[in-house]
Amino acid sequence: MQITKYTFPIHGDDRGQLVAIEELRDIPFSIRRVYYMYSTVQGVTRGYHAHKSLEQILICVHGSCKIRLDDGMEKEEVLLDKPYEGLYVSNVVWREMFDFSPDAVLMVLASELYDEADYIRNYDQFLEFIHKEQIYTSGQT
Ligand code: T46
């Protein structure tokens, strides 16, 4: 599975560091929503879902956490521990977030507003969705 990580430019000076992220310049989509999670209970795993169309960039702006990505064929684990690094997570990818450090702040830039109808929260339905997409795509060519 292809893993896409963005390293954002750091505008540092003798006062400290600053990272700026511009839609369609530094990341491949327009940002319609920003959310973040913090004070994550130790040992907890979040996520366990995919999205039908949402694209996102995950940035651990403080501390560290790991992301497990699954495209239905392969699984990969990615460590996020740099506030200037973003992980691109496309639609139709099952994601789980785990191993949060006590101080972790995971910020997410999202391409769409919150829509529960875009979630696939059942793993078998996720595999079914991929299968249907493949049939549709192969039928188009
Ligand atoms: C994702 C991963 C990386 C809202 O009301 N608005 C929002 O924008 C979001 C993201 C969540 N919520 C509510 C819905 C739930 O009642 O907040 C509660 C927790 O959301 P959820 O259980 O979906 O959180 P995670 O950490 O499992 O997943 C989140 C995102 O929902 C999801 O899109 O890709 O982070």
Side-chain angles (χ1 to χ4, degrees), residues 58-73:
L58 276 56
I59 306 166
C60 198
V61 291
H62 197 260
S64 65
C65 66
K66 287 181 187 158
I67 314 296
R68 189 176 298 120
L69 298 178
D70 174 354
D71 65 2
M73 287 186 296

Side-chain angles (χ1 to χ4, degrees), residues 39-130:
S39 296
T40 304
V41 174
Q42 290 298 280
V44 147
T45 300
R46 303 189 63 118
Y48 294 111
H49 60 257
H51 282 279
K52 293 173 191 164
S53 58
L54 187 72
E55 297 175 86
Q56 303 192 105
I57 299 279
L58 276 56
I59 306 166
C60 198
V61 291
H62 197 260
S64 65
C65 66
K66 287 181 187 158
I67 314 296
R68 189 176 298 120
L69 298 178
D70 174 354
D71 65 2
M73 287 186 296
E74 289 178 275
K75 291 180 191 181
E76 293 277 353
E77 284 184 12
V78 181
L79 172 69
L80 292 181
D81 62 352
K82 297 178 182 68
Y84 53 83
E85 208 171 69
L87 172 67
Y88 174 71
V89 181
S90 74
N91 62 330
V92 203
V93 171
W94 190 264
R95 77 282 318 265
E96 295 167 14
M97 303 86 82
F98 62 106
D99 260 7
F100 286 84
S101 63
D103 58 349
V105 181
L106 179 61
M107 184 176 80
V108 181
L109 312 178
S111 65
E112 301 295 340
L113 301 179
Y114 179 71
D115 177 11
E116 185 55 40
D118 191 62
Y119 284 73
I120 309 169
R121 293 194 183 271
N122 174 286
Y123 191 76
D124 289 337
Q125 284 171 8
F126 162 64
L127 296 178
E128 236 171 72
F129 188 87
I130 293 174

